[in-house]
Amino acid sequence: MESKTDSETKNQRHSIFSKHEISMLGIRSNLVQSSFSYERMHAPGFTWAQLPYWEKIYRDDPKGLSRVMTDNMEFINSSPPLYPILMGLLLSMEEDHVDSQTIKGLKNALFGPMAGIGDAIFWFTIMPIVGGISASIAKSGNVLGPILFFLVYLFLFWTRIPLAHLGYNLGAKAIDIIEDNSKIISHVASILGLTVIGALIASYVKMKLTIKVGAGGAVIDLQRQLLDKIFPNLLPFAFVFLLYWLLKKNINPIWLIIVTFALAIVMSLLGWM
Amino acid sequence: MEITFIQGLLIAIWAMIAGLDCWLQAFFIFRPIIVCTITGLILGDLKMGVIAGGLTELAFAGLTPAGGTQPPNTVLCGIMTVVVAYTNNIAPQTAIGLSLPFAMLMQYILLIYYSSFSLFLPTFDRYAEDGNAKAFKRLNLVPMAIVTLSFGIVAFLSAYAAQGPMRTLVNSMPHWLTHGFELAGGILPAVGFAMLLKVMLKARYLPYLLLGFVVASMIPFSNVLPVALVGAVFAMIEFYHSKDEEKTRAKIKELEANNQGGGMNDGI
């Protein structure tokens, strides 16, 4: 094994990969789920995505290649759209021949928090907002709805490229940035996400009683003359919280779907809705 | 209306494309809004596809694979919502309910794969140890091929081969049942939102949920963008607030550290 002095490693830094190759790392990050299994989640795909880069780094060092491949076959599970940052960062360290235990430790320290940020941003904030808006356009048969949805996600696909460059260029510095900001970002994303979910409940859960009750000669429309007078969309809100309460009791989501259908069919049979 | 063999094949091909995307989560064309639109295009009824896409997307808005649970599969749900609505001439909203069994079937197939693909790991490990990059890359194609083919086969059988029995079933459904399915299609988004809440809702965020709900109930507007902006306003306020707080906290720590140092010096 050849050992390198500090100055040598610094001179070498970021010299063997072209800009295009780093961009391709961002694209290749889409492969992380290719061999997903519960046992080690993204590990095989994660290794596959980075493999050509290690082949370049360890061209004359089969032992090094075997070592880095084995290291990366350990369990990893993070947020797919944020993998480019992690991969760029790890690649810059691998290229600098940072101690493998250090790289492994960093990888294991980062993927969990990054999964948290990624889920908060992509699934719980962007998805309800973009899905909600484009679905409301599509509902009337307007093809702009799906087009809007597609374009937004095409953009998000593209963001993997600058994210890979970001991770690669920042190198170890990215770690502090991620750790400093992860809490605030998921906090802020939660605020935005929950506001939107509140709006989605009001706009898109459709529950209206059609039953009319006779009370002393007068006929009362329960929905319009009672529930809507208390607060509009009262039923959808209450029903979501009923389901939420059931979920908190660890009831399987499949049961919630069954409960929903049972309720709807019973309501239809009774003629209440 | 009937689905021709060619249409069945096209649907199967589309299911493979969208299914692979569902597996990798790259372009998000596996979401119902896209799946339904393309399926509608294949069947020659784009408008119905788009409408079904909007409705199904909402029904699935909160049913995300994040957080470890695998929801009913969006690709099969999207395809079958359009197919059932098209072949039986019923409203997409009613068809969503009838498409769910197919979506759950695909969900369970994927769950089996998630468990059984662990069987590939020893081979991956061996190739990694040998530094055999070529074989390692090739082996990754196998699970992807299995998943892609499964989507194609399940979609073809569900859309083309099962249309006869499906029609008999739909025709034999009494009105209260079809109306019940239609109602369920409208209520279904509640399940997804409840699941989102389970992951996201903490007591400190409840005000924002209420804010969004109240604003959307009061503003008669066809989509949630205005409310999203209200949410963004609060998010920005909170962002700067948190940043300031962090700075103050850092300063306090610094002062405390200095004080302690000073105190110790005094003591000595």
Side-chain angles (χ1 to χ4, degrees):
Chain A
M1 278 296 227
E2 47 181 329
S3 63
K4 291 187 177 79
T5 65
D6 270 347
S7 65
E8 262 174 350
T9 28
K10 252 179 203 155
N11 284 341
Q12 265 203 340
R13 193 184 170 100
H14 302 171
S15 55
I16 68 168
F17 295 114
S18 67
K19 271 202 161 156
H20 174 73
E21 280 175 301
I22 299 303
S23 301
M24 283 310 290
L25 181 67
I27 303 290
R28 288 184 65 88
S29 69
N30 285 296
L31 298 171
V32 285
Q33 308 210 78
S34 58
S35 299
F36 187 96
S37 70
Y38 282 137
E39 192 185 318
R40 275 180 258 167
M41 302 268 178
H42 296 143
F46 179 73
T47 308
W48 182 27
Q50 303 173 89
L51 201 43
Y53 301 87
W54 301 331
E55 281 181 280
K56 201 167 177 184
I57 295 174
Y58 298 104
R59 201 174 342 179
D60 310 310
D61 181 6
K63 264 198 188 146
L65 183 64
S66 149
R67 199 266 311 148
V68 72
M69 282 174 81
T70 313
D71 280 357
N72 282 279
M73 275 301 291
E74 284 175 13
F75 180 95
I76 185 164
N77 180 31
S78 195
S79 168
L82 290 183
Y83 267 112
I85 301 182
L86 188 62
M87 288 180 174
L89 177 153
L90 293 175
L91 182 63
S92 77
M93 298 176 81
E94 201 67 55
E95 194 186 344
D96 287 349
H97 293 281
V98 175
D99 171 58
S100 68
Q101 287 304 318
T102 313
I103 296 183
K104 238 201 284 190
L106 267 177
K107 185 185 79 173
N108 289 334
L110 284 177
F111 76 71
M114 287 180 87
I117 313 173
D119 284 352
I121 297 176
F122 290 96
W123 281 113
F124 305 144
T125 308
I126 294 179
M127 179 64 87
I129 294 175
V130 178
I133 291 170
S134 45
S136 60
I137 299 171
K139 254 171 50 165
S140 53
N142 190 339
V143 78
L144 282 176
I147 291 175
L148 173 74
F149 185 92
F150 180 71
L151 289 178
V152 172
Y153 275 91
L154 199 63
F155 170 76
L156 290 174
F157 179 86
W158 171 82
T159 58
R160 287 176 185 250
I161 294 173
L163 286 180
H165 284 281
L166 184 75
Y168 184 72
N169 293 331
L170 283 175
K173 266 186 284 175
I175 298 149
D176 293 337
I177 296 176
I178 293 166
E179 280 180 346
D180 284 353
N181 290 302
S182 67
K183 262 201 182 146
I184 294 185
I185 290 174
S186 43
H187 175 58
V188 168
S190 298
I191 290 174
L192 182 55
L194 279 161
T195 314
V196 171
I197 293 168
L200 287 170
I201 293 170
S203 312
Y204 299 130
V205 181
K206 298 272 176 252
M207 293 176 96
K208 274 202 185 335
L209 294 178
T210 50
I211 185 184
K212 293 177 177 61
V213 182
V219 176
I220 296 173
D221 182 332
L222 268 188
Q223 182 68 43
R224 263 189 246 145
Q225 282 169 283
L226 185 67
L227 292 178
D228 285 352
K229 288 265 162 75
I230 302 171
F231 201 88
N233 302 316
L234 195 63
L235 276 182
F237 198 74
F239 187 65
V240 168
F241 267 85
L242 171 74
L243 296 180
Y244 171 75
W245 176 75
L246 289 173
L247 278 172
K248 281 274 169 192
K249 301 236 156 218
N250 274 327
I251 294 196
N252 192 308
I254 295 295
W255 281 104
L256 302 194
I257 294 176
I258 294 170
V259 165
T260 304
F261 273 87
L263 176 87
I265 290 166
V266 168
M267 283 294 171
S268 166
L269 193 58
L270 295 173
W272 286 10
M273 269 181 151
Chain B
M1 290 218 249
E2 196 135 344
I3 290 182
T4 64
F5 182 73
I6 300 290
Q7 283 173 331
L9 276 186
L10 285 173
I11 287 175
I13 293 170
W14 167 235
M16 289 199 270
I17 299 169
L20 181 62
D21 192 59
C22 177
W23 184 250
L24 295 177
Q25 290 177 13
F27 293 100
F28 278 71
I29 52 174
F30 64 87
R31 291 300 298 180
I33 191 166
I34 307 287
V35 174
C36 290
T37 303
I38 303 292
T39 311
L41 201 63
I42 292 171
L43 297 179
D45 193 347
L46 179 65
K47 191 166 184 205
M48 193 268 280
V50 174
I51 294 172
L55 292 167
T56 321
E57 183 64 39
L58 287 174
F60 273 78
L63 295 172
T64 67
T69 46
Q70 181 65 17
N73 186 265
T74 53
V75 176
L76 259 292
C77 188
I79 287 176
M80 289 313 290
T81 300
V82 177
V83 164
V84 171
Y86 175 84
T87 49
N88 299 291
N89 249 325
I90 52 174
Q93 189 153 333
T94 314
I96 294 177
L98 292 163
S99 78
L100 269 176
F102 300 96
M104 287 181 189
L105 171 71
M106 199 64 223
Q107 170 194 7
Y108 286 117
I109 294 175
L110 289 180
L111 284 176
I112 291 168
Y113 288 159
Y114 285 154
S115 309
S116 58
F117 283 175
S118 308
L119 295 173
F120 289 110
L121 287 172
T123 321
F124 274 121
D125 283 336
R126 204 178 66 231
Y127 291 150
E129 224 180 285
D130 299 344
N132 191 345
K134 228 183 188 173
F136 192 97
K137 290 174 197 168
R138 231 183 297 130
L139 186 59
N140 260 302
L141 299 175
V142 179
M144 275 162 60
I146 294 174
V147 169
T148 308
L149 277 178
S150 307
F151 268 102
I153 293 166
V154 174
F156 182 79
L157 292 179
S158 311
Y160 179 70
Q163 57 180 325
M166 195 71 199
R167 191 172 304 126
T168 324
L169 178 75
V170 173
N171 284 337
S172 64
M173 277 166 60
H175 173 74
W176 57 266
L177 195 56
T178 38
H179 180 63
F181 270 89
E182 195 185 328
L183 287 176
I187 306 173
L188 210 52
V191 178
F193 299 147
M195 284 179 69
L196 281 176
L197 290 184
K198 190 199 172 198
V199 190
M200 295 176 76
L201 189 60
K202 290 178 195 134
R204 63 188 303 200
Y205 297 128
L206 188 62
Y208 299 104
L209 179 77
L210 291 173
L211 175 78
F213 177 74
V214 170
V215 173
S217 296
M218 297 303 165
I219 300 180
F221 195 72
S222 68
N223 74 47
V224 294
L225 194 55
V227 188
L229 284 176
V230 174
V233 168
F234 279 92
M236 282 190 273
I237 294 173
E238 190 68 10
F239 178 77
Y240 292 116
H241 191 74
S242 303
K243 279 274 176 197
D244 285 346
E245 211 170 74
E246 214 171 55
K247 268 184 210 155
T248 324
R249 214 174 279 157
K251 255 193 194 149
I252 291 172
K253 253 190 193 164
E254 211 173 90
L255 284 175
E256 269 176 359
N258 284 344
N259 274 344
Q260 265 179 2
M264 268 165 71
N265 279 343
D266 285 350
I268 294 164

